Amino acid sequence: MPNNYVKIFDTTLRDGEQSPGATMTSAEKLEVARSLARMGVDIIQAGFPAASPDDLEAVRRIAIEVGNPPKAEPDAKVPTITGLARANKSDIDKAWEAVKDAQKPRIHTFLATSPIHMKHKLKMDPEEVVNRVSEMVAYARTLCADVEFSPEDAGRSDPEFLYVVLGEAIKSGATTLNIPDTVGYTTPDEYFKLIDGVIRHTPGMHDGITVSVHCHDDLGMATANALAGIQAGARQAEVTINGIGERAGNTSLEEVVMTLKTRHPIFNLETGIETQQLSRVSKLVSNYTGIVVQPNKAIVGANAFAHEAGIHQDGMLKHQATYEIMRPEDVGVNQTTLVMGKHSGRAALRARLAVMGHSLDEAELDKAFVRFKELADRKKVITDADLEAVIADEFYRPRDVYYLEGLQVSCGTLGMPTATVRLRGPDRTVYNFASMGTGPVDATYKAIDAIVKTPCKLLEFNIHAITAGIDALGEVTVRIQSDGSGDTKMDAQSELEYARVYGGHGADMDIIVASAKAYINALNKLIIAKTEGVQPVHNDFGVMLG
Ligand code: KIV
Ligand code: ZN
């Protein structure tokens, strides 16, 4: 890699998935991984295989399907696929098991190095930590040629000690040294010095070692810190889409990439990211996780390119660069408005979806075409955003335990809002139920609850129109949490597990139908977790991973 290339390491599927409610199904994870690869991400951290057999399987599928070139294009660029592992043999074995079928596998192992973590969490003295790192990195190297090591909580570690630990990691065969500011504590100046010190003073540091930044946003400085680290010489950035992640989140991929591009004269650095795909991937992750992107979020927020003040609009009309430092089309906003209409055929749909990166088989294309025609009957112009929503709704929803077969709502100012819901349940049984509520969505959700009988709390409900215009598709995201009542078998562990938040997404011309779909999708995730049991992360070290 030339020294002006910054590798983008995406951890949306690992650190991102650790944000409350970001739980994604295996199919959703696979689709996110595909989109990341298509966008040009260099390394995909596909998960934490030791967390559960499901997590291991999800990483394995990504390694096989995204970490290898398609048969038709054997020379296509594929990303490195990595799985996270604590510094113990069992985790490392599982990480290897999960990634070994990728063309470019990597094991990423970590151990904390800050005094507070070593004393209270690990209960290990510094010497034991050094020995464990060298043993486990060496062990990982017996399995995989590409090994990354992270000294967790490096931001609060003694730099001199860090150099010793990192020197041992290099000696044992690590090729990437990632320096996490696990609790988002450092300032840009401090983080610059930290990375600079690591590069200058780690024994055995050489050109073949990549130093990596990994920052959390607890004080709102994750992007600034990551960029400071890059200026100090780091050439890998660990980031997530929309900046999702543990607590306040991680450095966001789109912010780092667009800063390097927009301020190229300062940084003089390149990434391999096709930035026109940023907006699409941001939406995909938001839909799957149910985590709505704040409207004023840099780069991908709904208002990031909206100019409200008259003086700004006037300036924009005179010259776009008066108030815009990036062009919206560079991040995929407002691209390709006019796509297709009701006279477009199956071949045109297939071609457009292929350009958007979806290769559907014949049966899937048939389904997509039916949905497209339904939409085209009701909406004059269909945009990429519409197609994206339909594809997500049709193909990337969780497995159907319950499926919405029909919905009839009566609402308005005369009488109580009433909803009649028809669901197809497990064993294909069809259930009908009618309910009243304070509004049409409330009535619909009450009817669904009466059929599904899985008590949960609705934590968040968001609705928005995908495109402008009265005929826009409505998109709904919800976040729910099991309240566990009525579950007689709940032990402490499953209580913890059920405390997870599940997101659901639905799109339809009718916003009540979209609302019903989103709720049913979230409930399906919850029911699958309850019946099939999702294993919690067993953390020997007693704390959540950051
Ligand atoms: O923030 C952190 O320390 C991490 C490591 C486990 C890489 O996510
Ligand atoms: Zn982290």
Side-chain angles (χ1 to χ4, degrees), residues 14-15 214 216 250 546:
R14 202 280 299 170
D15 228 344
H214 179 118
H216 281 265
N250 288 57

Side-chain angles (χ1 to χ4, degrees), residues 9-15 17 24 29-30 33 36 43-49 54-63 66 80-84 98-99 106:
F9 174 119
D10 183 277
T11 183
T12 305
L13 296 172
R14 202 280 299 170
D15 228 344
E17 222 226 355
M24 285 181 255
K29 287 181 187 172
L30 188 60
L36 295 171
I43 302 116
I44 298 176
Q45 175 142 274
F48 182 38
D54 280 354
D55 286 68
L56 192 152
E57 192 47 34
V59 177
R60 218 173 70 82
R61 261 185 86 190
I62 291 170
V66 184
T80 296
I81 307 293
T82 186
L84 186 68
V99 300
R106 174 183 291 186

Side-chain angles (χ1 to χ4, degrees), residues 232-248:
R235 289 295 175 265
Q236 174 176 291
E238 299 203 355
V239 289
T240 61
I241 298 292
N242 301 334
I244 63 169
E246 193 82 56
R247 306 180 311 278

